[in-house]
Each structure stands twice: as structure tokens, then as C-alpha cells.
Amino acid sequence: MTLTTGVVDTLRDAVPADRLVTDPDVLASYAHDEAEWAPWELPAAVVRARTAQEVQAVVRACIEHRVPVIARGAGTGLSGGANAVAGAVVVSLEAMDAVLEVDELERFAVVQPGVVNDDLRARVAEHGLWYPPDPASSPWSTIGGNVATNAGGVCCVKYGVTRDYVIGLQVVTGTGELVRLGRRTAKGVAGYDLTGLLVGSEGTLGIVTEVTVKLRPLRDPERTVAGYFDSVVAAGEAVTAVAAAGLTPSALELVDRHCLAAVDAWKNMGLSADAEVVLLGRVDTPGAAGDAEAEQLLAAFEAGGASWAAVSTDAEEADALFAARRLAYPALERLGPLLTEDVCVPKAAVPTMLARIEAIGAAHDVRIANIAHAGDGNLHPLLSTPAGDDAARERALLAFHEIIAAALELGGTVTGEHGVGLLKRDGLAAEVSPAVLDMHRAVKAALDPHGILNPGKVV
């Protein structure tokens, strides 16, 4: 009997029959995330868990048979962090999709990991509350996946990332225990911050089965400022001008004409602009102070070299522009294989980094479209190649690694929100010292002593 046969037999006894999947065609659909250039192999089984106890049973079966176990949410990741290895068990958390509690007084919510980001935001809005982290994939990505990668988003320039809102977790550990980490109180510093450690660990230190997130009151309506620029570098100069003016907008997003054209070709939204780049800013300060802040943001756009800029008076048009920003990745993905970066650099380095990206694309004859959470320096160059063009694929991979090297040279990081996964392991090794990489591995060995939790990822 092989290890694979053994673990499947054990799982048949450990979980309800309708949870276990071994059909190869179905397994293939759970074997990888959206990072289509990251390697993957067919798992031995998928378990569509519905309870924390079922997840615990899966982990214990995998420990018994020394078989890798990979946690998966909606599969919207972009770094290969949820990709399977041969013979592994994938535990799908998408059916664990309940909002278990919303506490208006203490301002927190308790959710299962399969809850979709936008669904949580809509649910807490019924209570006059708001969950800020909003990755571009928020209509599809799950809270568990957001926790796994420490996802960011449009609002994060002002309000922070997922780790800033996760205050408690229920986790199945690498030894098969079901434990609770964190707190429900406004403050708490008892012991090490294991909750913060687990956020962003990409399923390599434990499998999250419940998340407690803190909430904020609902905001006033935002004001939108749009600007057209003749180049991505000029738009980058405007980003620097916004920071130099001491402004912290609630959003500051960059979208180039390649992205807008792709969205138009797909959705026929009529948004393609007579400009190389559109910069979209928002402010949510209430009242007259918000009006003044919008005018200051407009002035910073103009000082940065906008060929046209205005405070929007049409909320529907403004929302359409931000919707196009969220649709940019899937729109470009329709046109051919896509390799996505998410380097992050200091705000002062944004213009230089954008120029480096353009130069790298030209040097390798690779078409690069640009979207960005520009306000916090998180850039998403999208490297596009024709389907079936192996030479273009090789050039794109070279460009991918050069972009990472350029970001590090400018004092940046290899990933702002997508995670290391498989695609950026070399980048992590270049970013941190050998001693720090050893610290990562020591933590991994301590919390996953059998080496079964999403092996081969991150470190």
C-alpha cells in the first residue's frame, strides 16, 4: 500500500463521504491558484471541509502518513501559494463560509475562512460597520486567503492591511491540535504575537479555521479625483507630490491605457482614456475638510504634471473607473498568459521604479501593463505574452526577476500583498539575510515538525 492509498483510506474513515474527492478531473481544478506560471502537480485527494474538526482530522491523517496538506480558499492567489504537490491532500475551506458573529459594541466580527471579502463587508455594513482591507479580488477572494497572504487593497494606503485587523484566529497546528490565538479585547499583549505571525504565513505554519477581525464605523461617501498623465513616470511624480503635500488619501490607484483598453474590450465600459495613464485618488474626510482635501489632492496631481485633472462630480463615473481598476487583471488574463508582480517600494522611489519597469520591458521585448496601489508604493506590473510563445515566456521570466532586483535595489520588497508562494522564493532569499532566513526556517520547523504544511512554499 502506498502512502497516497493509505491517507485516502484513512480520510474515508475520518470525514463524511461527500467531503472527499478523488476524481482526477475535479482534483485538477483544485490543484493550483491563479499564478498560472507557477508549477503544480495533481493531489491525491481534496477534502471539502465544513468544520474545524474535519480540518483537524485531515491534518492528523496527513501527519500519520507523512503526506503534505495544502489549504485552499477561492484559489485567487497570484504566487502559487496554494499549488499542490504530487500525492498531497488539498483541504478546501470554501464551504466554511459563515459569518458567525458581529459585535457592534466591541466592533469585531468572527468569520469562517471561506467567507468572501465583499460578503463580509456587506454583512457588517448592516450594523453600521466596515471591514477596510479590500484587495482587487474582494468580490471573489476569501478572508482565509486574505489572511494567508496578508492581503492589502485599495483602501490600505490609509487604513492598513489584513494583519492590522486580525485580532484572533482558530488554527489547526502542524501537530494536529485545534487552538485559539489572539483576543477579543481592544488591547492585549500576553505572550508572543502568534496571531500576527500566522497572518501572511501562507498555510505553512497552521491552517486557519476561524478569524476574528476588528471593524471600524462606516465611512462618509468618498470624493474622487482623477488625473490623466502622459507617462507612468509622470504619474509616479504625482504620487510623490501627494506624499510631499502631507496627504493620506483613502485610495490612490494607477491604471495605464493597456489595462483600460483590455477592460473595454471585455466589458465595453467605454473608459479608454486619451492618456497613457490615469491616476485615481479618493478622500473620505467628512464635511468641508474633505472638500479641501480633495482640492489639495487635485493640486498635487497638477503639480505632478497631469495633462488633465478634476474632482469628479459624477459618482457613477468615478465608481466605474475604480471598477475598471479591479477588473484589470482578469481583463488582461483573457488576452494571454500573464505574469504578475507585486513589488513595493518607498513612495519617493515610485517614479524611478516605474521607469525601471518600462526599461526592463523594452530591453526584453515584453509587453508590460501597469496597475498599482500607487499611494503606498505597491506596484503591479503585469507581464503579458502571446499564448504558446515559449521564447516570449522566457523573456518575461527574465524581466520578472529583473523587476524584483530593481525593487530591492531601491529599498523595496519582493511582495506587498500577494505573498512569496513559489514565484518569489528566490526573491525572499535575496531580500533577507541568511541569518534571517534561518530564523524563518526555525519557526517553520517548530510549528510544523513533520514538514507537512504546504511544503516548498515561502522558505
Side-chain angles (χ1 to χ4, degrees):
M1 181 174 66
T2 66
L3 288 177
T4 294
T5 303
V7 75
V8 171
D9 287 344
T10 299
L11 289 171
R12 285 197 175 99
D13 294 332
V15 299
D18 64 344
R19 311 288 200 265
L20 182 63
V21 178
T22 57
D23 182 316
D25 291 335
V26 180
L27 295 181
S29 68
Y30 284 89
H32 58 86
D33 62 17
E34 288 295 312
E36 58 182 298
W37 291 25
W40 59 272
E41 297 174 288
L42 205 65
V46 170
V47 176
R48 295 166 169 159
R50 291 187 177 275
T51 68
Q53 288 71 29
E54 290 175 5
V55 176
Q56 183 180 28
V58 172
V59 172
R60 287 181 169 178
C62 290
I63 291 172
E64 177 185 345
H65 295 278
R66 296 301 191 265
V67 169
V69 57
I70 292 98
R72 173 191 167 94
T76 61
L78 293 169
S79 65
N83 285 17
V85 295
V89 174
V90 172
V91 56
S92 170
L93 306 171
E94 61 188 331
M96 296 175 63
D97 59 356
V99 176
L100 302 173
E101 182 181 356
V102 179
D103 190 313
E104 293 184 30
L105 177 63
E106 303 294 343
R107 293 181 182 169
F108 68 74
V110 182
V111 305
Q112 291 183 311
V115 171
V116 171
N117 183 292
D118 274 1
D119 291 346
L120 170 61
R121 291 156 69 87
R123 172 68 179 276
V124 301
E126 296 172 4
H127 299 266
L129 298 169
W130 177 48
Y131 177 66
D134 62 339
S137 60
S138 63
W140 317 286
S141 64
T142 60
I143 296 300
N146 294 171
V147 169
T149 62
N150 192 21
V154 173
C155 297
C156 295
V157 60
K158 183 172 182 178
Y159 291 103
V161 296
T162 300
R163 184 178 285 121
D164 298 312
Y165 292 88
V166 175
I167 59 174
L169 295 171
Q170 184 188 64
V171 180
V172 178
T173 71
T175 57
E177 301 299 321
L178 183 63
V179 301
R180 288 193 177 276
L181 308 174
R183 55 188 167 78
R184 289 188 169 200
T185 52
K187 296 169 65 178
V189 293
Y192 299 127
D193 182 9
L194 297 179
T195 303
L197 178 64
L198 266 288
V199 177
S201 64
E202 302 184 48
T204 63
L205 304 180
I207 297 180
V208 172
T209 54
E210 187 181 286
V211 186
T212 302
V213 296
K214 66 181 180 181
L215 305 171
R216 300 177 64 100
L218 275 175
R219 300 181 295 169
D220 284 3
E222 294 175 287
R223 299 159 179 80
T224 299
V225 180
Y228 290 178
F229 296 84
D230 294 332
S231 70
V232 290
V233 175
E237 296 288 357
V239 172
T240 301
V242 170
L247 299 173
T248 304
S250 54
L252 186 55
E253 297 289 301
L254 180 151
V255 192
D256 76 5
R257 64 180 175 83
H258 298 304
C259 297
L260 290 175
V263 172
D264 276 351
W266 181 25
K267 296 294 186 180
N268 196 30
M269 296 173 71
L271 296 173
S272 295
D274 296 325
E276 286 294 309
V277 184
V278 176
L279 204 57
L280 301 171
R282 277 183 161 167
V283 298
D284 60 1
T285 305
D291 293 334
E293 191 174 350
E295 291 298 327
Q296 288 177 297
L297 189 59
L298 174 62
F301 280 20
E302 292 171 341
S307 58
W308 173 88
V311 179
S312 176
T313 57
D314 186 332
E316 185 174 332
E317 181 181 57
D319 288 344
L321 285 168
F322 273 88
R325 161 63 183 90
R326 293 186 182 276
L327 290 170
Y329 179 86
L332 285 162
E333 194 177 33
R334 294 174 65 252
L335 305 179
L338 206 58
L339 186 58
T340 307
E341 293 272 19
D342 78 311
V343 294
C344 191
V345 297
K347 287 177 281 190
V350 167
T352 302
M353 187 65 213
L354 288 167
R356 294 284 290 274
I357 290 168
E358 282 201 321
I360 290 167
H364 292 284
D365 189 25
V366 174
R367 180 177 178 179
I368 301 180
N370 282 284
I371 52 177
H373 304 309
D376 53 18
N378 193 181
L379 311 181
H380 295 312
L382 307 170
L383 292 73
S384 178
T385 63
D389 190 334
D390 291 338
R393 183 186 180 96
E394 290 300 316
R395 295 196 307 273
L397 283 169
L398 289 172
F400 179 86
H401 291 296
E402 286 191 21
I403 289 170
I404 286 175
L408 294 177
E409 183 183 328
L410 293 171
T413 179
V414 301
T415 174
E417 60 183 356
H418 293 169
V420 173
L422 289 169
L423 290 180
K424 303 183 189 109
R425 291 184 70 196
D426 290 345
L428 176 65
E431 179 173 334
V432 305
S433 70
V436 172
L437 200 58
D438 284 345
M439 292 171 67
H440 280 72
R441 290 170 177 155
V443 171
K444 168 71 171 169
L447 298 186
D448 180 23
H450 306 293
I452 64 161
L453 295 176
N454 207 9
K457 313 295 170 53
V458 186
V459 295

